[in-house]
Each structure stands twice: as structure tokens, then as C-alpha cells.
Coordinates of all heavy atoms in Angstrom, one line a residue:
M1 N -123.6 45.9 -148.8 CA -123.5 47.2 -149.3 C -122.1 47.5 -149.9 O -121.1 47.1 -149.5 CB -123.7 48.2 -148.1 CG -123.9 49.6 -148.5 SD -123.9 50.7 -147.1 CE -125.1 50.2 -146.0
K2 N -122.1 48.4 -151.0 CA -120.9 48.6 -151.6 C -120.7 50.3 -151.5 O -121.7 50.9 -151.6 CB -120.9 48.3 -153.1 CG -120.7 46.7 -153.2 CD -120.7 46.4 -154.7 CE -120.6 45.0 -155.0 NZ -120.6 44.5 -156.3
R3 N -119.5 50.5 -151.5 CA -119.2 52.0 -151.4 C -118.6 52.4 -152.8 O -117.7 51.7 -153.3 CB -118.2 52.2 -150.3 CG -117.8 53.6 -150.0 CD -116.6 53.7 -149.1 NE -117.1 53.3 -147.7 CZ -117.2 54.0 -146.6 NH1 -116.8 55.3 -146.7 NH2 -117.6 53.5 -145.5
K4 N -119.0 53.5 -153.2 CA -118.5 54.1 -154.4 C -117.7 55.3 -154.2 O -118.1 56.3 -153.5 CB -119.7 54.5 -155.3 CG -119.3 54.7 -156.8 CD -120.6 55.1 -157.6 CE -120.3 55.5 -159.0 NZ -121.5 55.9 -159.7
V5 N -116.5 55.3 -154.8 CA -115.6 56.4 -154.6 C -115.7 57.2 -155.9 O -115.5 56.9 -157.0 CB -114.1 56.0 -154.3 CG1 -113.2 57.2 -154.2 CG2 -114.1 55.2 -153.0
V6 N -115.7 58.6 -155.7 CA -115.8 59.6 -156.7 C -114.7 60.6 -156.5 O -114.5 61.1 -155.3 CB -117.1 60.2 -156.9 CG1 -116.9 61.4 -158.0 CG2 -118.1 59.3 -157.3
F7 N -113.9 61.0 -157.4 CA -112.8 61.9 -157.2 C -113.3 63.3 -157.9 O -113.8 63.2 -159.1 CB -111.6 61.6 -158.0 CG -110.9 60.2 -157.2 CD1 -111.3 59.1 -157.7 CD2 -110.1 60.4 -156.2 CE1 -110.9 57.9 -157.1 CE2 -109.6 59.3 -155.6 CZ -110.0 58.0 -156.0
V8 N -113.2 64.3 -157.2 CA -113.8 65.6 -157.6 C -112.7 66.7 -157.8 O -111.9 66.8 -157.0 CB -114.8 66.2 -156.6 CG1 -115.4 67.5 -157.0 CG2 -115.9 65.1 -156.4
C9 N -112.7 67.3 -159.0 CA -111.8 68.3 -159.2 C -111.9 69.5 -158.2 O -113.0 70.0 -157.9 CB -112.0 69.0 -160.6 SG -111.1 70.4 -161.0
S10 N -110.8 69.9 -157.6 CA -110.8 70.9 -156.6 C -111.2 72.4 -157.2 O -111.5 73.4 -156.5 CB -109.4 71.2 -156.0 OG -109.0 69.9 -155.6
Y11 N -111.1 72.5 -158.6 CA -111.3 73.8 -159.1 C -112.7 73.9 -159.9 O -113.3 75.0 -159.7 CB -110.2 74.0 -160.2 CG -108.9 73.9 -159.5 CD1 -108.3 72.7 -159.7 CD2 -108.3 74.9 -158.6 CE1 -107.0 72.5 -159.0 CE2 -107.1 74.7 -158.0 CZ -106.5 73.5 -158.2 OH -105.3 73.2 -157.6
C12 N -113.1 73.0 -160.5 CA -114.5 73.1 -161.2 C -115.5 72.1 -160.8 O -116.7 72.2 -161.1 CB -114.3 73.1 -162.7 SG -113.9 71.3 -163.2
G13 N -115.2 71.2 -160.0 CA -116.2 70.2 -159.4 C -116.5 69.0 -160.3 O -117.4 68.2 -160.0
S14 N -115.8 68.9 -161.4 CA -116.0 67.7 -162.3 C -115.7 66.5 -161.5 O -114.8 66.4 -160.7 CB -115.1 67.8 -163.5 OG -115.5 68.9 -164.3
E15 N -116.4 65.4 -161.8 CA -116.2 64.2 -161.2 C -115.5 63.1 -162.1 O -115.8 63.1 -163.2 CB -117.5 63.6 -160.6 CG -118.2 64.6 -159.7 CD -119.5 63.9 -159.1 OE1 -119.9 62.9 -159.6 OE2 -120.1 64.6 -158.1
F16 N -114.7 62.3 -161.4 CA -113.9 61.3 -162.1 C -114.0 59.9 -161.4 O -114.1 60.0 -160.1 CB -112.5 61.8 -162.3 CG -112.3 62.9 -163.1 CD1 -112.5 64.2 -162.4 CD2 -112.2 63.0 -164.5 CE1 -112.3 65.3 -163.2 CE2 -112.1 64.2 -165.2 CZ -112.2 65.4 -164.5
K17 N -113.8 58.9 -162.1 CA -113.8 57.5 -161.5 C -112.5 57.1 -160.9 O -112.4 56.4 -160.0 CB -114.2 56.5 -162.6 CG -115.6 56.4 -163.0 CD -115.9 55.4 -164.0 CE -117.3 55.5 -164.5 NZ -117.5 54.8 -165.7
T18 N -111.3 57.7 -161.5 CA -110.0 57.4 -160.9 C -109.3 58.6 -160.4 O -109.5 59.7 -161.0 CB -109.2 56.6 -161.8 OG1 -108.8 57.5 -163.0 CG2 -109.8 55.3 -162.5
E19 N -108.4 58.4 -159.4 CA -107.5 59.5 -159.0 C -106.7 60.0 -160.1 O -106.5 61.2 -160.2 CB -106.8 59.0 -157.9 CG -106.0 60.1 -157.1 CD -105.2 59.5 -155.9 OE1 -105.3 58.3 -155.4 OE2 -104.4 60.3 -155.3
G20 N -106.2 59.1 -160.9 CA -105.2 59.5 -162.0 C -105.9 60.5 -163.0 O -105.4 61.4 -163.5
E21 N -107.2 60.1 -163.4 CA -107.9 60.9 -164.3 C -108.2 62.3 -163.8 O -108.1 63.3 -164.4 CB -109.3 60.2 -164.6 CG -109.3 59.2 -165.6 CD -110.7 58.5 -165.7 OE1 -111.3 58.0 -164.6 OE2 -111.3 58.5 -166.7
C22 N -108.6 62.3 -162.4 CA -108.8 63.6 -161.8 C -107.6 64.4 -161.7 O -107.6 65.6 -162.0 CB -109.4 63.3 -160.4 SG -110.1 64.8 -159.6
R23 N -106.4 63.8 -161.3 CA -105.2 64.6 -161.2 C -104.8 65.2 -162.6 O -104.5 66.3 -162.7 CB -104.1 63.6 -160.8 CG -102.7 64.1 -160.8 CD -102.1 64.6 -159.5 NE -102.2 63.7 -158.5 CZ -102.7 63.9 -157.3 NH1 -103.2 65.1 -157.0 NH2 -102.8 63.0 -156.3
A24 N -104.9 64.3 -163.6 CA -104.5 64.9 -165.0 C -105.5 66.0 -165.3 O -105.0 66.9 -165.9 CB -104.7 63.7 -165.9
H25 N -106.8 66.0 -165.0 CA -107.7 67.0 -165.3 C -107.3 68.3 -164.5 O -107.2 69.4 -165.1 CB -109.1 66.6 -164.9 CG -110.0 67.8 -164.9 ND1 -110.5 68.3 -166.1 CD2 -110.5 68.5 -163.9 CE1 -111.3 69.3 -165.7 NE2 -111.4 69.5 -164.4
E26 N -106.9 68.0 -163.1 CA -106.5 69.3 -162.4 C -105.3 69.9 -162.9 O -105.2 71.1 -163.0 CB -106.4 68.9 -160.9 CG -107.7 68.7 -160.2 CD -107.6 68.5 -158.7 OE1 -106.4 68.2 -158.3 OE2 -108.5 68.6 -158.0
L27 N -104.3 69.0 -163.3 CA -103.0 69.6 -163.9 C -103.4 70.5 -165.2 O -102.8 71.5 -165.3 CB -102.1 68.4 -164.2 CG -101.5 67.8 -163.0 CD1 -100.6 66.7 -163.4 CD2 -100.8 68.8 -162.0
S28 N -104.3 70.0 -166.0 CA -104.5 70.7 -167.1 C -105.3 71.9 -166.8 O -105.2 73.0 -167.5 CB -105.5 69.8 -168.2 OG -106.7 69.7 -167.7
E29 N -106.1 71.9 -165.7 CA -106.8 73.1 -165.4 C -105.8 74.1 -164.9 O -106.0 75.4 -165.2 CB -107.6 72.8 -164.1 CG -108.7 73.7 -163.7 CD -110.0 73.3 -164.1 OE1 -110.7 72.5 -163.4 OE2 -110.3 73.8 -165.3
L30 N -104.7 73.8 -164.4 CA -103.7 74.7 -163.9 C -102.5 74.9 -164.9 O -101.5 75.6 -164.7 CB -103.1 74.3 -162.6 CG -103.9 74.2 -161.4 CD1 -103.4 73.3 -160.3 CD2 -104.3 75.5 -160.9
S31 N -102.7 74.4 -166.1 CA -101.8 74.5 -167.2 C -100.4 73.9 -166.8 O -99.3 74.5 -167.0 CB -101.5 75.8 -167.8 OG -102.7 76.4 -168.1
I32 N -100.4 72.8 -166.0 CA -99.1 72.1 -165.5 C -99.1 71.0 -166.2 O -99.8 70.1 -166.5 CB -99.3 71.9 -164.0 CG1 -99.4 73.1 -163.3 CG2 -98.0 71.0 -163.6 CD1 -99.7 72.9 -161.8
S33 N -97.7 70.7 -166.7 CA -97.5 69.4 -167.5 C -97.3 68.3 -166.5 O -96.9 68.5 -165.4 CB -96.3 69.5 -168.4 OG -95.0 69.6 -167.5
Q34 N -97.5 67.0 -167.0 CA -97.3 65.8 -166.1 C -95.9 65.8 -165.7 O -95.7 65.4 -164.6 CB -97.7 64.5 -167.0 CG -97.8 63.3 -166.1 CD -98.8 63.2 -165.1 OE1 -99.9 63.7 -165.3 NE2 -98.5 62.5 -164.0
A35 N -95.0 66.1 -166.6 CA -93.6 66.2 -166.3 C -93.2 66.9 -165.1 O -92.4 66.6 -164.2 CB -92.7 66.4 -167.6
D36 N -93.7 68.3 -165.2 CA -93.5 69.2 -164.1 C -94.1 68.7 -162.9 O -93.4 68.9 -161.7 CB -94.2 70.6 -164.3 CG -93.2 71.4 -165.2 OD1 -92.1 71.1 -165.5 OD2 -93.7 72.5 -165.7
Y37 N -95.2 68.0 -162.8 CA -96.0 67.5 -161.5 C -95.0 66.5 -161.0 O -94.7 66.4 -159.8 CB -97.3 67.0 -161.8 CG -97.9 66.4 -160.7 CD1 -98.3 67.3 -159.6 CD2 -98.1 65.1 -160.6 CE1 -98.8 66.8 -158.5 CE2 -98.6 64.6 -159.4 CZ -99.1 65.3 -158.3 OH -99.5 64.9 -157.2
E38 N -94.5 65.5 -161.9 CA -93.6 64.5 -161.3 C -92.4 65.0 -160.8 O -91.8 64.6 -159.8 CB -93.4 63.5 -162.6 CG -94.5 62.6 -162.8 CD -94.4 61.8 -164.1 OE1 -93.3 61.7 -164.6 OE2 -95.5 61.3 -164.5
E39 N -91.8 66.0 -161.4 CA -90.6 66.7 -160.9 C -90.8 67.4 -159.5 O -90.1 67.2 -158.6 CB -90.1 67.8 -161.9 CG -88.7 68.2 -161.4 CD -88.1 69.3 -162.4 OE1 -88.7 69.5 -163.5 OE2 -87.0 70.0 -162.0
F40 N -92.0 68.0 -159.4 CA -92.4 68.6 -158.1 C -92.5 67.6 -157.1 O -92.0 67.7 -156.0 CB -93.7 69.3 -158.2 CG -94.3 69.7 -156.9 CD1 -93.7 70.8 -156.2 CD2 -95.2 69.0 -156.3 CE1 -94.2 71.3 -155.0 CE2 -95.7 69.4 -155.0 CZ -95.2 70.4 -154.4
C41 N -93.1 66.3 -157.3 CA -93.2 65.3 -156.3 C -91.8 64.8 -155.8 O -91.6 64.5 -154.7 CB -94.0 64.1 -156.9 SG -95.7 64.6 -157.2
K42 N -90.8 64.7 -156.9 CA -89.5 64.2 -156.5 C -88.9 65.2 -155.6 O -88.2 64.8 -154.6 CB -88.6 64.1 -157.8 CG -89.0 62.7 -158.5 CD -87.8 62.6 -159.6 CE -88.4 61.6 -160.6 NZ -87.8 61.8 -162.0
L43 N -89.0 66.5 -156.0 CA -88.3 67.6 -155.1 C -88.9 67.6 -153.8 O -88.3 67.8 -152.8 CB -88.5 68.9 -155.9 CG -87.7 69.1 -157.2 CD1 -88.2 70.3 -157.9 CD2 -86.2 69.1 -156.9
R44 N -90.2 67.5 -153.6 CA -90.8 67.6 -152.4 C -90.4 66.4 -151.5 O -90.2 66.5 -150.3 CB -92.4 67.5 -152.6 CG -93.3 67.5 -151.3 CD -94.7 67.6 -151.4 NE -95.1 66.5 -152.3 CZ -96.4 66.4 -152.8 NH1 -97.3 67.4 -152.5 NH2 -96.7 65.4 -153.5
T45 N -90.3 65.2 -152.1 CA -89.9 64.1 -151.4 C -88.5 64.3 -150.9 O -88.1 64.1 -149.8 CB -89.9 62.7 -152.3 OG1 -91.1 62.7 -152.7 CG2 -89.4 61.6 -151.4
A46 N -87.6 64.8 -151.7 CA -86.1 65.0 -151.4 C -86.1 66.1 -150.3 O -85.3 65.9 -149.3 CB -85.4 65.5 -152.6
L47 N -86.9 67.0 -150.3 CA -87.1 68.1 -149.3 C -87.4 67.5 -147.9 O -86.8 67.7 -146.9 CB -88.1 69.2 -149.7 CG -87.8 70.6 -149.1 CD1 -86.5 71.1 -149.3 CD2 -88.9 71.5 -149.7
K48 N -88.4 66.6 -147.9 CA -88.9 66.1 -146.6 C -87.8 65.1 -146.1 O -87.6 65.1 -144.9 CB -90.2 65.2 -146.9 CG -91.4 65.9 -147.0 CD -92.5 64.9 -147.2 CE -93.9 65.7 -147.6 NZ -94.9 64.8 -148.1
I49 N -87.2 64.4 -146.9 CA -86.1 63.3 -146.5 C -85.0 64.1 -145.9 O -84.5 63.8 -144.8 CB -85.7 62.3 -147.6 CG1 -86.9 61.4 -148.0 CG2 -84.4 61.6 -147.2 CD1 -86.5 60.6 -149.2
T50 N -84.4 65.2 -146.7 CA -83.3 65.9 -146.2 C -83.6 66.6 -144.9 O -82.7 66.7 -144.0 CB -82.7 66.8 -147.2 OG1 -83.7 67.7 -147.7 CG2 -82.2 66.0 -148.4
E51 N -84.8 67.1 -144.9 CA -85.2 67.9 -143.6 C -85.2 67.0 -142.4 O -84.8 67.3 -141.3 CB -86.6 68.5 -143.8 CG -87.0 69.5 -142.8 CD -88.3 70.2 -143.1 OE1 -89.0 69.8 -144.1 OE2 -88.6 71.2 -142.4
S52 N -85.9 65.8 -142.6 CA -85.9 64.9 -141.5 C -84.5 64.3 -141.0 O -84.1 64.1 -139.9 CB -86.9 63.7 -141.5 OG -86.3 62.8 -142.4
N53 N -83.6 64.2 -142.0 CA -82.2 63.8 -141.8 C -81.5 64.8 -141.0 O -80.7 64.5 -140.1 CB -81.5 63.5 -143.0 CG -81.8 62.2 -143.7 OD1 -82.4 61.3 -143.0 ND2 -81.6 62.0 -145.0
L54 N -81.8 66.1 -141.3 CA -81.2 67.1 -140.6 C -81.6 67.2 -139.2 O -80.9 67.5 -138.2 CB -81.5 68.5 -141.4 CG -80.8 69.8 -140.9 CD1 -79.4 69.6 -140.8 CD2 -81.3 70.9 -141.6
R55 N -82.9 66.9 -138.9 CA -83.4 66.9 -137.6 C -82.8 65.8 -136.7 O -82.4 66.0 -135.6 CB -84.9 66.7 -137.5 CG -85.7 68.1 -137.7 CD -87.1 67.9 -137.2 NE -87.8 68.8 -138.0 CZ -88.8 68.4 -138.9 NH1 -89.0 67.1 -139.1 NH2 -89.5 69.3 -139.6
L56 N -82.5 64.7 -137.4 CA -81.8 63.6 -136.6 C -80.3 63.8 -136.5 O -79.8 63.6 -135.3 CB -82.0 62.3 -137.5 CG -83.5 61.8 -137.5 CD1 -83.6 60.6 -138.5 CD2 -84.0 61.2 -136.2
Y57 N -79.6 64.3 -137.5 CA -78.2 64.5 -137.5 C -77.9 65.9 -137.9 O -77.8 66.2 -139.2 CB -77.5 63.5 -138.3 CG -77.9 62.0 -138.1 CD1 -78.8 61.5 -139.0 CD2 -77.5 61.3 -137.0 CE1 -79.3 60.2 -138.9 CE2 -78.0 59.9 -136.9 CZ -78.9 59.4 -137.9 OH -79.3 58.2 -137.7
D58 N -77.7 66.8 -137.1 CA -77.5 68.1 -137.5 C -75.9 68.2 -137.7 O -75.1 68.5 -136.7 CB -77.9 69.1 -136.4 CG -77.7 70.6 -136.9 OD1 -77.2 70.8 -138.0 OD2 -78.1 71.5 -136.2
E59 N -75.5 68.0 -138.9 CA -74.1 68.0 -139.2 C -73.9 68.6 -140.6 O -74.9 68.8 -141.4 CB -73.4 66.7 -139.1 CG -74.1 65.6 -139.9 CD -73.7 64.2 -139.6 OE1 -73.5 63.9 -138.3 OE2 -73.5 63.4 -140.5
E60 N -72.6 68.9 -141.0 CA -72.5 69.5 -142.3 C -73.0 68.8 -143.5 O -73.6 69.5 -144.4 CB -70.9 69.7 -142.5 CG -70.6 70.7 -143.5 CD -69.1 70.9 -143.9 OE1 -68.2 70.5 -143.1 OE2 -68.8 71.4 -145.0
K61 N -72.8 67.5 -143.5 CA -73.3 66.7 -144.6 C -74.8 66.9 -144.8 O -75.4 67.1 -145.8 CB -73.0 65.3 -144.4 CG -73.2 64.4 -145.6 CD -72.7 63.0 -145.2 CE -73.4 61.9 -146.0 NZ -73.2 60.5 -145.6
T62 N -75.5 66.7 -143.7 CA -77.0 66.8 -143.8 C -77.5 68.2 -144.0 O -78.6 68.5 -144.7 CB -77.7 66.3 -142.5 OG1 -77.2 66.9 -141.3 CG2 -77.5 64.8 -142.3
R63 N -76.8 69.2 -143.6 CA -77.1 70.6 -143.8 C -76.9 71.0 -145.3 O -77.8 71.6 -145.8 CB -76.3 71.6 -142.9 CG -76.8 71.9 -141.5 CD -76.1 73.1 -140.9 NE -74.7 72.7 -140.7 CZ -74.2 72.2 -139.6 NH1 -74.9 71.8 -138.6 NH2 -72.8 72.0 -139.4
K64 N -75.9 70.5 -145.8 CA -75.6 70.7 -147.2 C -76.7 70.0 -148.1 O -77.1 70.7 -149.1 CB -74.2 70.2 -147.7 CG -73.3 71.2 -147.4 CD -71.8 70.7 -148.0 CE -70.7 71.7 -147.7 NZ -69.4 71.1 -148.0
A65 N -77.1 68.8 -147.7 CA -78.1 68.1 -148.5 C -79.4 68.9 -148.5 O -80.1 69.0 -149.4 CB -78.3 66.7 -148.1
Y66 N -79.7 69.3 -147.3 CA -81.1 70.0 -147.1 C -81.0 71.4 -147.9 O -82.0 71.7 -148.6 CB -81.3 70.4 -145.6 CG -82.5 71.1 -145.3 CD1 -83.8 70.6 -145.7 CD2 -82.5 72.4 -144.8 CE1 -85.0 71.4 -145.5 CE2 -83.6 73.1 -144.5 CZ -84.8 72.6 -144.9 OH -85.9 73.4 -144.7
E67 N -79.9 72.2 -147.8 CA -79.8 73.3 -148.6 C -79.9 73.1 -150.0 O -80.5 73.9 -150.7 CB -78.5 74.1 -148.3 CG -78.4 74.7 -146.7 CD -79.6 75.6 -146.5 OE1 -79.9 76.4 -147.3 OE2 -80.1 75.5 -145.4
A68 N -79.3 72.1 -150.5 CA -79.4 71.7 -151.9 C -80.7 71.4 -152.4 O -81.3 71.9 -153.5 CB -78.4 70.5 -152.2
A69 N -81.5 70.7 -151.5 CA -82.9 70.3 -151.8 C -83.7 71.6 -151.9 O -84.7 71.8 -152.7 CB -83.4 69.3 -150.8
K70 N -83.5 72.5 -150.9 CA -84.3 73.7 -150.8 C -83.9 74.6 -152.2 O -84.9 75.2 -152.6 CB -83.9 74.6 -149.6 CG -84.8 74.2 -148.5 CD -84.8 75.3 -147.4 CE -83.6 76.1 -147.1 NZ -83.7 76.9 -145.8
K71 N -82.7 74.6 -152.5 CA -82.3 75.4 -153.6 C -83.0 74.9 -155.0 O -83.5 75.6 -155.7 CB -80.8 75.3 -153.8 CG -80.3 76.2 -154.9 CD -78.6 76.3 -154.8 CE -78.1 77.2 -156.0 NZ -77.8 76.4 -157.1
A72 N -82.9 73.5 -155.1 CA -83.6 72.9 -156.2 C -85.1 73.1 -156.2 O -85.6 73.6 -157.3 CB -83.4 71.4 -156.1
M73 N -85.8 73.2 -155.1 CA -87.1 73.5 -155.1 C -87.5 74.9 -155.4 O -88.4 75.3 -156.1 CB -87.8 73.2 -153.7 CG -89.2 73.5 -153.6 SD -90.3 72.5 -154.7 CE -90.7 71.1 -153.7
S74 N -86.5 75.9 -154.8 CA -86.9 77.3 -155.2 C -86.6 77.6 -156.7 O -87.2 78.4 -157.3 CB -86.2 78.2 -154.3 OG -84.7 78.1 -154.4
E75 N -85.7 77.0 -157.3 CA -85.4 77.1 -158.6 C -86.6 76.6 -159.5 O -86.9 77.2 -160.5 CB -84.1 76.4 -159.1 CG -82.8 77.2 -158.7 CD -81.5 76.4 -158.8 OE1 -81.6 75.2 -159.4 OE2 -80.5 76.9 -158.5
F76 N -87.1 75.5 -159.1 CA -88.3 74.9 -159.8 C -89.4 75.8 -159.7 O -90.1 76.1 -160.6 CB -88.6 73.5 -159.2 CG -89.8 72.9 -159.7 CD1 -89.8 72.4 -160.9 CD2 -91.0 72.9 -159.0 CE1 -90.9 71.6 -161.5 CE2 -92.1 72.3 -159.6 CZ -92.1 71.7 -160.8
E77 N -89.6 76.3 -158.4 CA -90.8 77.3 -158.1 C -90.6 78.5 -159.0 O -91.7 79.1 -159.6 CB -90.8 77.8 -156.7 CG -91.4 76.8 -155.8 CD -91.2 77.4 -154.3 OE1 -90.2 77.3 -153.7 OE2 -92.3 77.9 -153.8
A78 N -89.4 79.0 -159.2 CA -89.2 80.2 -160.1 C -89.5 79.9 -161.4 O -90.1 80.8 -162.2 CB -87.7 80.6 -160.0
R79 N -89.2 78.7 -161.9 CA -89.6 78.3 -163.3 C -91.1 78.0 -163.5 O -91.6 78.2 -164.6 CB -88.8 77.1 -163.6 CG -88.8 76.7 -165.1 CD -87.6 75.7 -165.3 NE -87.8 74.3 -164.6 CZ -88.7 73.4 -165.0 NH1 -89.6 73.6 -165.9 NH2 -88.8 72.3 -164.2
T80 N -91.8 77.6 -162.5 CA -93.1 77.1 -162.6 C -94.1 78.0 -161.7 O -94.5 79.1 -162.2 CB -93.3 75.6 -162.1 OG1 -92.9 75.6 -160.8 CG2 -92.6 74.7 -163.1
M81 N -94.4 77.7 -160.4 CA -95.2 78.5 -159.7 C -94.8 78.3 -158.2 O -94.1 77.3 -157.9 CB -96.7 78.2 -159.9 CG -97.1 76.8 -159.6 SD -98.9 76.7 -159.9 CE -99.1 74.9 -159.4
P82 N -95.3 79.1 -157.2 CA -94.9 78.9 -155.9 C -95.3 77.6 -155.2 O -96.4 77.1 -155.5 CB -95.6 80.2 -155.2 CG -95.9 81.1 -156.2 CD -96.1 80.3 -157.5
F83 N -94.5 77.2 -154.3 CA -94.9 75.9 -153.6 C -96.1 75.8 -152.9 O -96.9 74.8 -153.0 CB -93.8 75.8 -152.5 CG -93.9 74.4 -151.7 CD1 -93.4 73.3 -152.5 CD2 -94.2 74.4 -150.4 CE1 -93.4 72.1 -151.9 CE2 -94.3 73.1 -149.9 CZ -93.9 72.0 -150.4
D84 N -96.7 77.0 -152.5 CA -98.0 77.1 -151.9 C -99.0 76.6 -152.8 O -100.0 75.9 -152.6 CB -98.3 78.5 -151.3 CG -97.6 78.7 -150.0 OD1 -97.0 77.7 -149.5 OD2 -97.6 79.9 -149.6
K85 N -98.9 77.1 -154.0 CA -99.9 76.6 -155.2 C -99.8 75.2 -155.4 O -100.8 74.6 -155.7 CB -99.6 77.4 -156.4 CG -100.1 78.8 -156.4 CD -101.5 78.8 -157.0 CE -102.3 80.2 -156.8 NZ -103.6 79.9 -156.8
W86 N -98.6 74.7 -155.4 CA -98.5 73.3 -155.7 C -99.1 72.4 -154.6 O -99.6 71.2 -154.9 CB -96.9 72.8 -155.7 CG -96.3 73.2 -157.0 CD1 -95.5 74.3 -157.2 CD2 -96.3 72.6 -158.3 NE1 -95.1 74.3 -158.4 CE2 -95.6 73.3 -159.1 CE3 -97.0 71.4 -158.7 CZ2 -95.4 72.9 -160.5 CZ3 -96.9 71.0 -159.9 CH2 -96.1 71.7 -160.9
K87 N -99.1 72.9 -153.4 CA -99.6 72.2 -152.2 C -101.1 71.9 -152.4 O -101.6 71.0 -151.8 CB -99.3 72.8 -150.9 CG -97.9 72.6 -150.4 CD -97.7 72.8 -149.0 CE -97.7 74.4 -148.8 NZ -97.2 74.8 -147.5
E88 N -101.7 72.8 -153.2 CA -103.1 72.6 -153.3 C -103.5 71.4 -154.3 O -104.7 71.0 -154.2 CB -103.7 74.0 -153.9 CG -103.7 75.1 -153.0 CD -104.1 76.4 -153.7 OE1 -104.5 76.4 -154.7 OE2 -103.6 77.5 -153.0
I89 N -102.6 71.1 -155.0 CA -102.9 69.9 -156.0 C -102.9 68.6 -155.3 O -102.1 68.2 -154.5 CB -101.8 69.9 -157.2 CG1 -101.9 71.3 -157.8 CG2 -102.2 68.8 -158.1 CD1 -100.8 71.3 -158.8
Ligands
LIG1 ZN1 -111.7 71.0 -163.1

């Protein structure tokens, strides 16, 4: 028996063979450029890393790094759309 995977657009239900095609379609659905999506992924990763570092070592250096990551994300959100919207992608 073989299993077939289909990727479905969260917004219109269109089906795709690959995750990449589906992601590209969803981004176009939301009028988001690939570059903005990639930037969002980087900022989100930075936020997660600096947040977990802060939990491990609560000191000035980790606090500053976390605050900088939060600031970068909020500036990005102001330029594009709120983080909650991004999480749906
Ligand atoms: Zn769609």
C-alpha cells in the first residue's frame, strides 16, 4: 500500500503536490512576498532562541538580545501584518 500526501490551501482549499507549491500559493493569497515570508521565519527563529536563552540565563546580555529580537519583530509586523496572522501560515 502506498500513501499519497496532498497539501491543501488553508484559505481556498486548492490542492498541491508539494509543500513549497502550497506555501507559495498561500503567500500569494495573502499578498505576501517570498522575501517577507523568509524574513518572518528568521525573526521568529531569533525570537524563539533569544527567549529560551533568557529562560536559561536571566542576565543583561540575554535580556538585551531578547528585547532586540522583539523590537525587530514588532517593526516587521508594523511594516507587514500582525504576528497572529503570520502564525496561520
Ligand atoms: Zn488558496
Side-chain angles (χ1 to χ4, degrees):
M1 190 189 300
K2 288 184 179 177
R3 185 186 292 243
K4 187 178 174 186
V5 176
V6 173
F7 296 89
V8 182
C9 171
S10 310
Y11 307 98
C12 72
S14 293
E15 296 183 356
F16 299 88
K17 286 182 185 165
T18 68
E19 190 177 352
E21 283 176 297
C22 190
R23 169 102 51 235
H25 168 82
E26 285 190 342
L27 291 177
S28 72
E29 197 94 90
L30 296 166
S31 304
I32 295 168
S33 71
Q34 187 68 35
D36 275 352
Y37 179 70
E38 284 165 17
E39 190 178 349
F40 170 76
C41 292
K42 276 186 202 163
L43 293 169
R44 180 174 56 187
T45 301
L47 205 54
K48 278 183 193 168
I49 291 170
T50 55
E51 192 175 10
S52 81
N53 284 344
L54 180 60
R55 271 200 214 111
L56 290 170
Y57 313 100
D58 188 358
E59 54 193 41
E60 192 182 345
K61 192 176 150 193
T62 53
R63 272 192 298 273
K64 274 188 179 170
Y66 178 63
E67 289 306 317
K70 271 206 314 196
K71 187 170 178 273
M73 180 59 96
S74 63
E75 284 169 2
F76 177 75
E77 283 179 280
R79 189 166 62 76
T80 57
M81 64 180 183
F83 187 70
D84 286 351
K85 279 274 174 204
W86 282 102
K87 281 194 289 191
E88 293 169 15
I89 302 169

